[in-house]
Amino acid sequence: MDIILCHTTADFDSLGAAVGLTRLHPGARIVLTGGAHPGVEEFLRLHRDEYAIVERRSVNPDQLRSLFVVDTQSRDRLGKAAEWFDAPQLQGVYLYDHHPGVSGDIPASERQIEDIGATTTLIVEALQRQNINLTVYEATVMALGIHVDSGSLTFDHSTARDALALAWLMNQGASLPLIAEYIEPGLSDSLQDLLATALETVNSEEVWGQQVASVVLRTPDYVPGLSGLTSRLLELTDSDAMILLHEYQRQGDESRLTVIARSQIPQTDLNAILQTIGGGGHRKAGSAQLRNANPEEVLRQLRDRLNAQIPPPPTARELMSSPVRTIRPQTTIGEAHRILLRYGHSGLSVVNQADELVGVISRRDLDIALHHGFHHAPVKGYMTRNVKTISPDTLLPEIEGLMVTFDIGRLPVLDEGALVGIVTRTDVLRELHEESRQLCPIHPERESQGRRLTREADVWQGLRSHLNPKLWQLLETAAQAAQERGWQLYLVGGAVRDLLRGMQSPQQTEVALTDIDLVVDGFHQSATVGAGVELANVLQEQFSGARLDVHGAFQTAALLWHNDPVFDSLWLDIATARTEFYPYPAANPEVEASSIRQDLYRRDFTINALAIRLTTPRQGKLLDFFGGVLDLQRGWVRVLHANSFIEDPTRIFRAVRFAVRFEFEIEPETERFIRHAIASGVYERSRSLNPRTPALQARLKSELKYLLQASYWPRALRELDRLGALQCLHPQLRLTRELWRRLQLADRGLRRFQKWHRLSHWRMLLEVLLSQVETGTGEFSRAAVAQQLQLPDETVQRLATLGERRERLERELSTAQRPSEVVKVLSGEELAGLLLVALGMGRSLRGKVWQYLTEWAEVKPLLNGEDLKQLGYTPGPQFKEMLADIQAGTLDGEFGGSREAAIAFVRDRYPL
């Protein structure tokens, strides 16, 4: 176990550096050795679950491997955790600090102490060197560490390195509103006096859970710096929006009115509001200057317009995950921990036999119980019984207040006593800190031409304008049917990815979609696993040209149109939201009903884990829990989970397919995960231990088909070879120069010669790949690999006999000098097998085969059976010999293309 120690009364720099180290050392856990500053404590009340923080008492000192210490060099500042330095099995102690010249007493095996503004900067530089990317919450807490310890780069010990580190963290998505919430800039003395007046006269009202404040100040003269005063008022009054009006009158002049507005409410646009009175600004900040205006009337107009922009906050029903994973009070601590690991939850709800909620148990509770050896004890002894609950209609502000006030990480949602969902800190954080979405153009060089999507309405309008009207009608019909049944409906996956790319193109063209996935969410409102089938039946009644297919135990439904006059060829897949679990590597996943969040979490890459809500409320809401939009802008293929390739090797081939198809790059950490999965040997072990490995069989064949039938297959194969991924087919398979030559020859022939078109192009390329595998026995033979990929029997047989056939044909062709002799050797061979054999031959013999395939096999004899009858010959066994001689003479050019010469030959050789 690797542990990262923050000093007692931890500040943001200590916490930020520790969070960064968890990315440099995956699996490491953070221990706060003795409390934290008030600001850090407040921050962690809502954000604790985003970081790998564990209780000191849950750490077993006997299992310690390495210790990392940040922002201190003294044992005294580590409380009781300082005792861990004496653990005999400890392999190393690593210290990071930014206080040079301090005499420390920590027995560090390695130290990095440099004179810079913050310890966090050291960790940021290490993350940059290793090309590691951060989540928004990781970047935010690290940025806070640098801001606080460097005085936002104003303290004397701040350096350019701190500034560069902050810039990088901003690029990683650090939340500026959240940073501003925990940093307090100062006001001048004159503004401090005005602040006191403002605090006495400020008015506030609540609009949909948002506090909207306003104040009118009057002074004899103009007062500079009111912008900072407005921001401070916003903080001190704990408001979400503030409108400040300042009226003053210069001597001999008319009255002047300055308007300054600030808003932290995501959907508001102050620029649009202030433009109505001749001002302007940004969405979250704006100002205006007026003459001889009535302050009270101006304020009334501005507040009415601002209030109209504030959307109703989401309810628990919109935020919650459903169905809820529950356990009984008698469930053991060990089993509960196993369930948490399987589903990736941070807590579980406990229900009695009547499915009534009786308690909640968190991961921290389970960790401590396991630490004390209570593996077989029931959870009822450790669960929290006094559970705070909410209803489906509880608004987000109230949910947030409960979590912060009571330091609760999850709130069960009860509907008439029934447990229908759960809202977690993560659900709240996503909603609170999701910035107004600004999707930059995919191509930065065309930014001025690209369209920006900033609100749900923008996404909805962009979706509508880029879809075929008939397809738009289909989606609207599906959404209406889902809404009538109390469900939410989402457009998910590749269709969203392609639409977003199309929306960001300067050309407002229609995006062609041939494969669409819809997901029904709303299990708590009777959306059963058969919801997809029910919805598909409704659609088929209105769009009768579709064929309905229902497949799988999970009742996924698909509507298919083929050469339809309206939809052309379209596949519409509809399923209920689900989660999945892989029982072993390369297996088929076990699937269960779940929520849209879990459904997106099970997908492969961030750019495919996107969804757009098609139903109200919040129609057009873009769900992006993993930074997929940012990766689309960067041009990255980034995997969602570190173990993704271990569980499903076909994702390696999909990663390459998307990277080559979109001209993206595989994100560096994703590439490391790929290489680790391949080097681990997990696929070979899974093959030997399990009777079925679908991800190395049928599903892998499907991915190979997608790759090899695409125009970009040469680049894809080179990338697979660079990653070592061809080993998923065979441990020794490499894209050698010889194999590359054979693939190019095969591709050229398959495209050039018309009669070869009856061969499956992609399958022949795959056979060429497999033909390079060294002849072996058992699971590593060519035929065994083909069989494992579930290729046709003829392919398996062809590869099984390839070596013998090549040896025989090389031997016979080496003595065949005349065209007729070559034809005699090759005429009985099937086309696909002959092509495979020829690719492995030397140039001379390959030339004979090539000439046979492209020329000699098509040569017809100058005389046929009817001609021989007319010449007076009686049909019989001799006919076959005569025709063979005529064919040979024709091929060898003995007749010079003359029928008369052929007739003379027959009469001479076979006199009547």
Side-chain angles (χ1 to χ4, degrees):
M1 178 184 291
D2 297 330
I3 293 294
I4 304 164
L5 300 177
C6 295
H7 56 70
T8 54
T9 319
D11 57 14
F12 275 115
D13 188 30
S14 176
L15 178 61
V19 168
L21 279 174
T22 62
R23 297 304 308 277
L24 289 168
H25 302 279
R29 296 291 181 264
I30 300 170
V31 171
L32 305 180
T33 58
H37 279 288
V40 175
E41 286 184 343
E42 182 180 351
F43 180 88
L44 288 178
R45 282 186 190 137
L46 198 56
H47 299 82
R48 176 183 294 271
D49 289 346
E50 301 303 319
Y51 311 116
I53 299 174
V54 297
E55 300 285 344
R56 178 184 55 79
R57 56 183 174 167
S58 70
V59 176
N60 185 346
D62 295 332
Q63 295 179 356
L64 287 174
R65 181 176 61 181
S66 301
L67 291 175
F68 299 84
V69 182
V70 293
D71 206 30
T72 184
Q73 301 174 50
S74 173
R75 294 173 66 114
D76 291 339
R77 296 199 65 195
L78 296 174
K80 291 187 177 181
E83 299 171 359
W84 295 344
F85 293 125
D86 302 323
Q89 81 282 1
L90 207 59
Q91 297 178 10
V93 176
Y94 308 91
L95 189 148
Y96 301 85
D97 195 22
H98 68 128
H99 302 103
V102 174
S103 179
D105 59 355
I106 293 177
S109 49
E110 289 184 23
R111 300 171 185 267
Q112 187 175 357
I113 304 169
E114 298 188 34
D115 190 8
I116 54 176
T119 303
T120 302
T121 297
L122 296 175
I123 309 304
V124 168
E125 291 171 343
L127 291 167
Q128 288 177 285
R129 287 192 294 271
Q130 296 192 29
N131 292 319
I132 295 175
N133 295 294
L134 306 177
T135 66
V136 169
Y137 305 110
E138 290 166 345
T140 299
V141 74
M142 295 182 74
L144 272 169
I146 297 175
H147 269 290
V148 171
D149 256 38
S150 69
S152 293
L153 305 178
T154 62
F155 294 164
D156 290 343
H157 61 267
S158 301
T159 68
R161 292 168 62 186
D162 300 296
L164 291 171
L166 268 178
W168 184 78
L169 290 169
M170 289 177 67
N171 278 327
Q172 291 291 308
S175 170
L176 296 182
L178 192 56
I179 293 170
E181 186 178 337
Y182 291 90
I183 297 175
E184 297 183 0
L187 291 177
S188 66
D189 292 340
S190 60
L191 287 174
Q192 288 285 355
D193 294 336
L194 202 55
L195 175 64
T197 302
L199 288 172
E200 292 177 358
T201 58
V202 69
N203 292 310
S204 183
E205 67 173 319
E206 183 176 309
V207 181
W208 289 116
Q210 307 283 354
Q211 292 297 322
V212 179
S214 60
V215 65
V216 178
L217 299 173
R218 292 178 171 87
T219 63
D221 300 303
Y222 172 73
V223 178
L226 288 176
S227 177
L229 175 64
T230 306
S231 297
R232 179 56 61 88
L233 274 173
L234 193 70
E235 297 172 11
L236 293 178
T237 59
D238 197 24
S239 301
D240 300 295
M242 173 68 66
I243 303 174
L244 183 147
L245 278 70
H246 174 225
E247 185 181 36
Y248 62 98
Q249 189 165 7
R250 291 177 177 171
Q251 188 174 2
D253 198 2
E254 69 258 287
S255 66
R256 303 287 184 92
L257 187 66
T258 298
V259 180
I260 299 174
R262 297 287 184 269
S263 175
Q264 297 174 343
I265 305 170
Q267 300 288 351
T268 55
D269 186 349
L270 293 178
N271 178 50
I273 293 173
L274 289 167
Q275 280 181 356
T276 63
I277 59 171
H282 302 285
R283 297 181 64 86
K284 303 306 176 197
S287 62
Q289 296 287 339
L290 304 174
R291 295 173 182 264
N292 294 326
N294 183 325
E296 283 70 23
E297 178 60 23
V298 171
L299 179 60
R300 185 191 63 77
Q301 293 177 14
L302 294 178
R303 290 195 66 143
D304 287 347
R305 290 167 184 154
L306 179 61
N307 293 349
Q309 283 189 349
I310 299 173
T315 63
R317 191 185 304 279
E318 296 174 62
L319 296 172
M320 70 188 189
S321 297
S322 177
V324 185
R325 304 291 167 201
T326 60
I327 55 175
R328 302 294 188 197
Q330 296 77 27
T331 304
T332 65
I333 294 292
E335 176 63 13
H337 191 263
R338 187 193 67 79
I339 293 172
L340 281 186
L341 287 177
R342 173 172 178 140
Y343 296 106
H345 295 340
S346 58
L348 291 169
S349 298
V350 186
V351 297
N352 60 21
Q353 293 297 324
D355 287 332
E356 298 169 331
L357 183 70
V358 295
V360 169
I361 190 161
S362 69
R363 184 183 294 274
R364 275 186 285 175
D365 299 330
L366 293 172
D367 285 343
I368 292 172
L370 288 172
H371 170 70
H372 291 298
F374 294 104
H375 186 277
H376 297 291
V379 297
K380 64 182 179 181
Y382 294 85
M383 69 185 187
T384 300
R385 295 176 183 270
N386 184 22
V387 181
K388 300 290 182 183
T389 64
I390 54 179
S391 74
D393 297 322
T394 304
L395 298 177
L396 175 61
E398 184 180 346
I399 296 171
E400 179 190 6
L402 285 171
M403 286 186 169
V404 172
T405 302
F406 297 101
D407 192 18
I408 300 172
R410 58 202 59 79
L411 287 168
V413 184
L414 300 184
D415 188 4
E416 298 181 354
L419 180 62
V420 295
I422 193 157
V423 177
T424 67
R425 276 197 187 103
T426 301
D427 298 328
V428 172
L429 284 172
R430 285 195 184 111
E431 200 66 38
L432 287 176
H433 303 302
E434 186 182 54
E435 299 176 358
S436 293
R437 198 169 296 280
Q438 287 201 336
L439 310 184
C440 298
I442 298 301
H443 302 287
E445 68 274 11
R446 298 195 293 241
E447 182 170 350
S448 61
Q449 307 172 44
R451 178 179 181 182
R452 290 182 178 273
L453 305 178
T454 56
R455 297 176 299 172
E456 292 162 6
D458 297 326
V459 175
W460 189 247
Q461 183 56 38
L463 181 65
R464 182 170 190 168
S465 62
H466 283 78
L467 280 178
N468 176 291
K470 291 296 184 181
L471 187 54
W472 173 258
Q473 181 187 351
L474 173 65
L475 294 182
E476 279 196 315
T477 303
Q480 182 179 352
Q483 198 151 317
E484 289 171 356
R485 289 158 176 78
W487 306 334
Q488 292 289 356
L489 186 67
Y490 293 87
L491 177 68
V492 301
V496 179
R497 175 200 66 219
D498 294 342
L499 280 164
L500 289 180
R501 295 182 77 235
M503 291 179 197
Q504 299 316 301
S505 172
Q507 293 80 27
Q508 299 295 307
T509 56
E510 184 179 293
V511 177
L513 297 178
T514 59
D515 192 348
I516 296 177
D517 287 338
L518 298 180
V519 170
V520 179
D521 187 26
F523 194 89
H524 55 285
Q525 294 189 35
S526 303
T528 66
V529 292
V533 177
E534 182 176 341
L535 197 56
N537 277 310
V538 171
L539 291 177
Q540 192 188 35
E541 289 177 6
Q542 299 191 43
F543 301 91
S544 57
R547 185 181 89 242
L548 174 63
D549 281 357
V550 178
H551 46 87
F554 201 75
Q555 292 287 288
T556 300
L559 290 171
L560 297 91
W561 288 264
H562 182 63
N563 292 332
D564 185 81
V566 175
F567 297 112
D568 195 10
S569 293
L570 175 67
W571 180 295
L572 179 68
D573 195 89
I574 311 175
T576 306
R578 47 194 166 160
T579 187
E580 60 187 24
F581 177 77
Y582 288 82
Y584 55 86
N588 272 331
E590 298 174 359
V591 180
E592 300 176 11
S594 188
S595 65
I596 185 64
R597 289 171 177 81
Q598 288 291 320
D599 193 276
L600 294 177
Y601 187 76
R602 72 183 178 85
R603 294 173 185 267
D604 47 14
F605 307 107
T606 60
I607 59 174
N608 294 332
L610 298 163
I612 296 176
R613 184 179 293 178
L614 302 179
T615 44
T616 59
R618 309 188 76 180
Q619 200 173 46
K621 179 178 176 60
L622 176 62
L623 301 189
D624 178 16
F625 302 132
F626 312 102
V629 170
L630 184 59
D631 287 335
L632 277 177
Q633 295 167 2
R634 289 169 169 167
W636 275 0
V637 177
R638 179 163 61 89
V639 76
L640 264 64
H641 324 294
N643 290 319
S644 186
F645 301 117
I646 295 287
E647 293 177 335
D648 188 352
T650 62
R651 288 174 177 158
I652 299 174
F653 290 75
R654 284 203 294 277
V656 168
R657 174 157 59 89
F658 291 133
V660 174
R661 175 185 168 191
F662 299 134
E663 297 183 352
F664 282 11
E665 293 181 7
I666 295 177
E667 182 256 346
E669 192 169 43
T670 297
E671 180 171 330
R672 283 196 293 272
F673 292 148
I674 290 174
R675 292 187 182 278
H676 169 72
I678 295 169
S680 69
V682 64
Y683 306 141
E684 285 71 25
R685 289 196 301 275
S686 189
R687 279 191 183 106
S688 61
L689 294 174
N690 301 290
R692 295 185 67 250
T693 52
L696 292 166
Q697 297 171 329
R699 299 211 311 269
L700 181 54
K701 181 184 74 173
S702 295
E703 280 304 318
L704 287 165
K705 179 179 179 180
Y706 282 130
L707 277 174
L708 295 175
Q709 68 186 5
S711 60
Y712 49 75
W713 71 263
R715 286 180 291 139
L717 280 186
R718 286 192 180 278
E719 181 67 2
L720 286 170
D721 183 61
R722 185 184 70 81
L723 295 169
L726 294 178
Q727 294 178 46
C728 294
L729 294 172
H730 190 278
Q732 279 76 50
L733 186 57
R734 298 288 186 278
L735 191 60
T736 62
R737 180 177 296 180
E738 172 61 20
L739 177 55
W740 184 245
R741 181 190 65 80
R742 294 184 188 185
L743 286 164
Q744 288 180 309
L745 284 173
D747 178 62
R748 192 182 310 154
L750 289 164
R751 285 186 290 106
R752 180 178 176 184
F753 301 113
Q754 185 66 34
K755 69 173 182 177
W756 293 7
H757 289 183
R758 66 177 183 268
L759 298 177
S760 171
H761 197 130
W762 74 269
R763 192 179 297 146
M764 283 308 306
L765 291 177
L766 180 55
E767 289 189 32
V768 174
L769 267 177
L770 299 182
S771 71
Q772 190 71 0
V773 172
E774 292 296 326
T775 304
T777 58
E779 60 180 326
F780 294 117
S781 68
R782 298 183 191 117
V785 175
Q787 209 160 21
Q788 187 179 60
L789 290 174
Q790 299 181 7
L791 293 173
D793 291 342
E794 62 186 38
T795 296
V796 175
Q797 182 63 23
R798 200 156 41 234
L799 289 169
T801 60
L802 178 60
E804 299 171 6
R805 183 182 298 178
R806 182 177 294 155
E807 288 181 9
R808 175 178 60 79
L809 291 179
E810 284 180 340
R811 183 175 61 253
E812 295 178 1
L813 284 175
S814 62
T815 59
Q817 302 301 320
R818 299 166 66 88
S820 59
E821 294 172 334
V822 173
V823 171
K824 185 176 181 179
V825 171
L826 301 179
S827 58
E829 301 292 330
E830 48 133 3
L831 178 59
L834 195 50
L835 179 59
L836 278 186
V837 168
L839 292 171
M841 289 179 169
R843 177 174 294 183
S844 174
L845 295 182
R846 187 174 67 249
K848 293 180 180 180
V849 177
W850 231 244
Q851 203 161 2
Y852 165 77
L853 289 173
T854 59
E855 181 183 346
W856 297 336
E858 301 299 321
V859 172
K860 302 295 183 184
L862 289 172
L863 301 176
N864 57 30
E866 288 300 319
D867 295 324
L868 293 180
K869 289 180 185 178
Q870 291 180 12
L871 291 174
Y873 294 97
T874 304
Q878 194 179 32
F879 255 42
K880 183 177 181 180
E881 181 183 345
M882 295 170 68
L883 289 172
D885 285 344
I886 297 169
Q887 173 74 346
T890 304
L891 285 166
D892 296 338
E894 294 179 356
F895 309 137
S898 168
R899 280 175 53 86
E900 289 73 16
I903 293 171
F905 167 79
V906 170
R907 285 177 171 166
D908 181 59
R909 175 72 62 88
Y910 300 97
L912 289 170

